[in-house]
Amino acid sequence: MPASRRRKGHGGDSKRATTSEQQSAVKFDGKAEEQKREEERKTKDLNHKNINNLKKARSKRACIDGCCWLIGFICSTWWFLLFLFNAMPASFPQYVTEAITGPMPDPPGVKMHKEGLKAKHPVVFVPGIVTGGLELWEGHPCMDGLFRKRLWGGTFGEVYKRPLCWIEHMSLDNETGLDPPGVRVRPVSGLVAADYFAAGYFVWAVLIANLARIGYEEKNMYMAAYDWRLSFQNTEVRDQTLSRMKSNIELMVATSGEKVVIIPHSMGVLYFLHFMKWVEAPAPMGGGGGSDWCAKHIKAVMNIGGPFLGLPKIVAGLFSAEAKDIAVARAVAPGVLDLDIFGFQTLQHAMRMTRTWDSTMSLIPKGGDAIWGTLDWSPEADYECVAKKVKKNETQAGGENGGVFDGLKSHNYGRIISFGKDVAELHSSKVERVDFRGALKGNNFANRSCRDVWNEYHEMGIADMKAVADYKAFTVESVLELLQFVAPRMMKRGGAHYSYGIADNLEDPKYEHYKYWSNPLETRLPNAPEMEIFSMYGVGLPTERSYVYKSSSISECYIPFQIDTSAEGGNEEGCLRAGVYSVDGDETVPVLSAGFMCAKGWRGKTRFNPSGIKTYIREYNHAPPATLLEGRGTQSGNHVDIMGNFALIEDIIRVAAGATGNNLGGDRVYSDVFRWSERIKLRL
């Protein structure tokens, strides 16, 4: 029994052990299953991750491959088209253009050649501001390798590579207005000096090519290139540019037997006015040519886009380093032109550089409030900024200065600067002003670290800037005082070379000084009754006339004033857009500045034109390009694009070939220049 029980007991223990082992095995198998599942899960996750990484890599490669293919396709297409362009007959582009737009008119030179016109009078081109090339003759180490390379005009590559070095070399000495120590930048010589401003952007090239069609070449064409940064008299002091122009004109007259036709553009118009007084004035101040030099050597002066009475646009440039386009760009992307993004202080450096260019001060408006208007009057007061049908202008007598014309609401164009849109629109009796001229200048502590972009604002205190803004509204006469206040050193240099008034008595000996020679209201035309003067300019484009300003937010190295681009609308017939009031003109020169002297100031025998030189106004109504294939347009009235205007080129060619102003048909006027001129009460 005991043995049996032991066997049973032993058997029972064995059974229990087997069950325990089975349970352990089951548990082990469960863990194994879990581990297996976990491993499978990890494997799946890893595979999934690898697949995702592979997809991302493929996506990146596909993106790179796509970009490479796109770039390759563009380059291949470009090379293929370039090959076709070079392989196709020269007449093919014209054939395609004519197939799209219809037959193209002959260029003026071809047309004149078919009429039998031949080169007769030598022509002299006088370029304007910024359009002439400048090259390096001596510089600092940062300009190594650029001897006789263009710093202005051409590709402007050096601007991007070394901007601060470029600004340093393009700036003049702040005290003398001449070269800084160790720097010599000089004008490019020859016709290439201003035929193109940059690759593909013509200035004189189209006119030169058309003159060549009737027989002109280098021997009877001369580009009177000069350093347009310098004051007019300093171009003679440093480079003898005026003497070179005199000698070349004398040589051309001697070799051809014919008087020359002078063709100045933009600021070149004022430069040649200065030359006509210089060449006849006795040495050492003048060229010593005698009082009959112009009569002996000049047939006609054909002024293109001439700012005879200055530019409102230059006021904005000198005051805040901006005009309409820059102000709009500044409003859209303030960090690009200010210091928020790049830290380059673009506008500040531009102001520092351009304020050393004394030539810019020749463009400050001349004639004061009598010409440009008062706080409540301006000659263009009734101008409507709406599209009008092109019509011949009729001379009409206007009201007295200060009147309201034809029942229209008067625009306050005479307020060339207004601080606030409301100030621009209110009657002067309702504008409360505080005189800034008595303000004592303090230190602008916010700008003490900005000597590398010094522009005289850094010497002004917060109270001085507030005093300027509190004056509210500025006319042309008070703008001169404003510029004296904010930039005294610049205006000191400018005051030594230019004057902006109206002469009371032209017999006064003081007007023999060169500072008056480029102001047509303070000097006489030469005694040359057979000479003719043309004023040729575009119309039909909104042109800057006056500005709405605001104070800038105070920050380091800031320019304290800027155009208020939020100011819109204005008077019902006004042209207030993005803080700028516009009138008729060529986008740069208002009609009043371009046309007044030939419309009234010089018309007939006046005290400014004692010999009665005949004057003509030739206006070119702007028409945009009909298609993209027309480029910048053959009927453009834009200040620079007008140099490719077929009608203007035809007028020049006819005069160069021997025609007179009467042969051209006399005046051709589309604007209200005669009516506006009559409203200006000027003793003639």
Side-chain angles (χ1 to χ4, degrees), residues 117 143 147 153 167 222 232 248 250 270 274 326 337-338 361-362 383 391 405 472 481 498 515 526 555 572 583 603 622:
L117 271 63
M143 282 291 182
F147 176 67
I167 286 174
Y222 168 60
F232 299 161
N248 276 283
E250 289 172 345
L270 302 180
H274 182 95
I326 293 177
L337 290 178
D338 296 321
M361 285 176 278
S362 71
Y383 175 68
K391 62 181 180 181
F405 309 103
K472 305 291 188 185
E481 296 175 318
Y498 306 107
K515 67 182 286 184
S555 60
E572 196 173 299
V583 292
R603 180 80 30 146
H622 175 74

Side-chain angles (χ1 to χ4, degrees), residues 92-286:
F92 186 74
Q94 183 179 352
Y95 172 79
V96 173
T97 302
E98 291 182 355
I100 297 172
T101 64
M104 294 286 289
D106 285 335
V110 174
K111 179 182 175 183
M112 301 294 100
H113 180 70
K114 289 179 179 178
E115 291 183 15
L117 271 63
K118 301 290 185 185
K120 183 177 181 182
H121 297 278
V123 296
V124 176
F125 308 116
V126 186
I129 192 169
V130 311
T131 54
L134 300 174
E135 60 188 18
L136 181 72
W137 281 81
E138 181 185 4
H140 297 155
C142 60
M143 282 291 182
D144 283 350
L146 296 178
F147 176 67
R148 292 202 64 201
K149 302 294 184 184
R150 287 202 183 196
L151 296 189
W152 188 271
T155 62
F156 287 93
E158 299 314 312
V159 180
Y160 310 117
K161 294 178 184 176
R162 50 196 105 185
L164 293 180
C165 182
W166 179 83
I167 286 174
E168 181 184 3
H169 285 72
M170 283 297 298
S171 300
L172 296 170
D173 187 272
N174 225 347
E175 298 295 331
T176 65
L178 296 169
D179 294 320
V183 173
R184 280 187 295 151
V185 175
R186 295 293 182 264
V188 177
S189 59
L191 295 178
V192 297
D195 54 352
Y196 287 92
F197 176 64
Y201 191 87
F202 70 81
V203 184
W204 294 92
V206 177
L207 177 56
I208 291 170
N210 278 278
L211 284 166
R213 294 280 191 172
I214 67 166
Y216 280 93
E217 51 189 295
E218 289 237 30
K219 70 179 181 182
N220 50 12
M221 286 193 291
Y222 168 60
M223 182 72 72
Y226 59 99
D227 189 337
W228 44 262
R229 301 172 302 159
L230 299 174
S231 70
F232 299 161
Q233 193 68 8
N234 273 346
T235 64
E236 175 65 15
V237 171
R238 196 193 73 179
D239 300 334
Q240 295 76 54
T241 308
L242 299 173
S243 294
R244 293 172 189 273
M245 194 189 312
K246 176 177 180 283
S247 298
N248 276 283
I249 290 174
E250 289 172 345
L251 177 63
M252 295 168 88
V253 171
T255 54
S256 69
E258 300 286 351
K259 298 179 184 179
V260 299
V261 172
I262 310 293
I263 310 171
H265 173 245
S266 190
M267 191 186 76
V269 168
L270 302 180
Y271 187 66
F272 194 74
L273 274 180
H274 182 95
F275 171 83
M276 287 195 293
K277 294 300 293 184
W278 174 88
V279 74
E280 294 188 345
M285 188 181 294

Side-chain angles (χ1 to χ4, degrees), residues 451-524:
R451 306 309 295 180
D452 60 327
V453 289
W454 178 81
N455 56 42
E456 296 196 72
Y457 275 129
H458 307 140
E459 296 179 353
M460 295 178 62
I462 303 300
D464 308 324
M465 298 168 187
K466 186 177 183 302
V468 169
D470 286 345
Y471 195 70
K472 305 291 188 185
F474 297 81
T475 63
V476 163
E477 289 181 5
S478 53
V479 154
L480 288 173
E481 296 175 318
L482 171 64
L483 293 176
Q484 289 278 3
F485 184 75
V486 301
R489 298 186 194 183
M490 178 190 77
M491 292 300 288
K492 181 181 178 182
R493 292 196 323 271
H497 290 274
Y498 306 107
S499 180
Y500 311 104
I502 300 174
D504 293 323
N505 176 19
L506 287 167
E507 300 294 336
D508 191 325
K510 77 175 186 178
Y511 292 111
E512 295 174 4
H513 192 274
Y514 59 76
K515 67 182 286 184
Y516 301 100
W517 291 349
S518 61
N519 182 354
L521 299 173
E522 292 185 304
T523 191
R524 296 189 183 98

Side-chain angles (χ1 to χ4, degrees), residues 42-83:
K42 287 181 179 179
T43 303
K44 286 181 180 179
D45 291 343
L46 186 61
N47 290 338
H48 185 68
K49 188 175 181 180
N50 289 337
I51 290 170
N52 286 339
N53 290 337
L54 187 60
K55 286 181 178 179
K56 288 180 181 179
R58 286 177 178 174
S59 176
K60 287 181 180 179
R61 284 198 298 271
C63 182
I64 294 171
D65 290 345
C67 290
C68 291
W69 277 106
L70 179 62
I71 294 170
F73 175 76
I74 292 172
C75 292
S76 299
T77 304
W78 172 254
W79 289 329
F80 179 67
L81 292 175
L82 192 62
F83 169 76

